[in-house]
Amino acid sequence: MSTPAANDAPATAEQVSTPLTNDAPTTAEQVSTPATHDSPAEAAPVSAPPAPVPGPPTPAEPSETEPTAGEPTAGEPVSAPPAQVSGPPATDAPPEVEPREVRPADPEQALAAIRWRLHPAKLREEAPDPEALREIRDGLTTKLGSALDNRTRARLLSLRSVAARILGDLDDALDDARLALTYAEATGELRRTTLARARLAEVLRWRGDHAEADRLFAEANSPELPDRLRAVLHEHAGRSCYDQGRLTEACLHFERALDLRQGEDAELNARTAVALDAVAERAAADGFGPKPRTREAILGEERYPVPTFDEERGLWGYADTEGELVIDHRYAEVQPFHEGVAWVRRPEASRWALIDTTGTALIEANNGYRAVGSFSEGLAWVSMDGKGRWMAVDPTNIVRIPPGYEDTRPFRHGLAAVRQNGGWGAVDRDGQIVVPTRFHGMSTALSDGRYVDGFSEEGLAVVELAGRRGVVDRTGRILVDPAYPTLVVHPVAFLVRDGSGRWGALDRRGEPLIDPVHPSSAAVVAEIEQLLTDTSPVL
């Protein structure tokens, strides 16, 4: 699509099938203050002083008017390009009147409609009309004065940080971006939090705080996000590497961005061409810089010893990342390190012990665990008989969840799938049942081909009942009744296959989005791509 996109949400199918015009539906916020698109924006400049955002983040609650982040919906502004006054002036108009640009009255629409210039050496966006951008920032401030929920506060604050950043007010941009991330995290929504992280990372990059910026870009880039958003995250991460002279690493990010969009994004292609020209010029003068870092290095994660086997002795030990032995070969069985600890079993023992990275025992084998699971989020499932009655312990061997489960899965995002009395459900870290154990299965298929045991990053799980699949959220609420032979979690929708083998899609509320008429899930994904409009979400 050649028009820039709305900042937080994609368009609906109706908007895609009809040319986007300045008559596009307004948001609920716009209804309270009608904005006419046929009058120049400068006719009613916003002059209100910046209003403080009221109160700390409130607990995230379902909203009746705000859609779940990333759903194809008409609930967010449509980013039509700035309309131009066309045609010759009327015969009775003064001859000196010149055509003027008409900007959307709503500041979010106006911000989305800006066509940014990318500086060819700094790889930073520049505002074509700084004064208009200041008016947009004032308009966002006015809207913030009446924002009452975390979703709206997160969105408006992060957008105001974008405007402040490009105007060069980096201190204000940083304050807004950090507060926006706090509100976004309070919603628990993956995509909304990702956008806030990315916009904060860009402010930090412009300030020269590259270590934190790189970490935020890496944290934000989840495989459960739409490819379009992931591509833009790689693009901006590449620009941060460019600033640091890490040109090889920058090129890898730009290449990944292009791969994710498969050459179908003309604007991304054009921006990447500018970036690669800048890389080539800089590399010719200074070289390509240090070798690329791993994701673990960027995130500052500790690299734990890895299992190594001595074939002569038939025993296991652990070596560091350079291959040096750090824990001697003395175990009959070992598990990889997770969260700084690993389960091991000596040849003479039938039960497992827990060690740290130095080989020191934290839980001795005489505690009697015949079956153990890796630590995840500070807890591990263990069984005394190796067959059932699983319980959860912490690294000090304190029982946090008493025995009573026939089967379990590791904790993910605060919840773990468990089986009790033949049925699957989920418990939290305190052992409270969040999803009743009444389902025949709980294995979540993701659109990138992966399966996760239990819940996705977004807090969604696919459950099975009598061979039919549905969706529950992290509160145990059923979003989609178990009614489909196949159900796959897409970043902004649910892909479903009906009994005849045809594919369609539901939105995040479980309502029909695309009729089941397609022969494959890939065809449905392609149609969803046409509904998404956020081509420049970081901006």
Side-chain angles (χ1 to χ4, degrees), residues 302-306 319-324 326:
E302 184 178 352
R303 301 184 70 179
Y304 297 120
V306 296
D320 62 19
T321 54
E322 304 299 325
E324 296 293 329
V326 293

Side-chain angles (χ1 to χ4, degrees), residues 224 444-448 456 458 460-462 471 487-495 508:
E224 294 182 22
T444 303
L446 303 177
S447 59
D448 62 359
S456 68
E458 199 176 352
L460 303 170
V462 175
V471 179
L487 190 151
V488 177
V489 177
H490 180 275
V492 298
F494 301 122
L495 312 181
R508 277 291 186 260

Side-chain angles (χ1 to χ4, degrees), residues 432-452:
Q432 299 297 314
I433 294 180
V434 178
V435 178
T437 54
R438 67 182 188 89
F439 297 101
H440 297 154
M442 182 179 283
S443 180
T444 303
L446 303 177
S447 59
D448 62 359
R450 295 181 301 131
Y451 281 82
V452 296

Side-chain angles (χ1 to χ4, degrees), residues 32 54 63 67 85 229 231 287 370 378 403 444 450 459 506:
S32 61
S63 169
V85 177
L229 176 52
R370 292 183 179 272
T444 303
R450 295 181 301 131
L506 310 174

Side-chain angles (χ1 to χ4, degrees), residues 458-537:
E458 199 176 352
L460 303 170
V462 175
V463 293
E464 178 200 341
L465 197 61
R468 300 285 172 163
R469 289 163 178 80
V471 179
V472 297
D473 66 13
R474 57 165 57 92
T475 69
R477 181 166 57 107
I478 295 179
L479 302 181
V480 180
D481 288 324
Y484 299 93
T486 305
L487 190 151
V488 177
V489 177
H490 180 275
V492 298
F494 301 122
L495 312 181
V496 293
R497 183 174 62 87
D498 64 14
S500 66
R502 311 298 286 181
W503 286 84
L506 310 174
D507 67 19
R508 277 291 186 260
R509 293 176 294 271
E511 300 296 328
L513 177 67
I514 297 174
D515 291 336
V517 296
H518 293 282
S520 67
S521 60
V524 181
V525 171
E527 184 168 339
I528 291 175
E529 280 290 312
Q530 299 302 314
L531 302 180
L532 295 170
T533 64
D534 52 349
T535 54
S536 298

Side-chain angles (χ1 to χ4, degrees), residues 8 22 26 30 94 108 122 135 206 222 256 299 304 314 318 385 394 403 437 473 494 499 513 538:
D8 275 359
N22 284 336
T26 58
Q30 290 169 282
E108 294 185 67
K122 297 180 180 178
E135 290 183 14
W206 283 38
S222 164
R256 182 60 177 145
L299 293 176
Y304 297 120
Y318 290 89
D385 61 11
D394 67 15
T437 54
D473 66 13
F494 301 122
L513 177 67
V538 178

Side-chain angles (χ1 to χ4, degrees), residues 50-91:
V53 179
T58 55
E61 296 179 356
S63 169
E64 295 297 326
T65 57
E66 175 100 8
T68 302
E71 284 186 13
T73 174
E76 296 282 356
V78 176
S79 58
Q84 301 290 333
V85 177
S86 58
T91 55

Side-chain angles (χ1 to χ4, degrees), residues 363-374:
I363 299 176
E364 298 287 355
N366 59 13
N367 283 277
Y369 301 139
R370 292 183 179 272
V372 292
S374 297

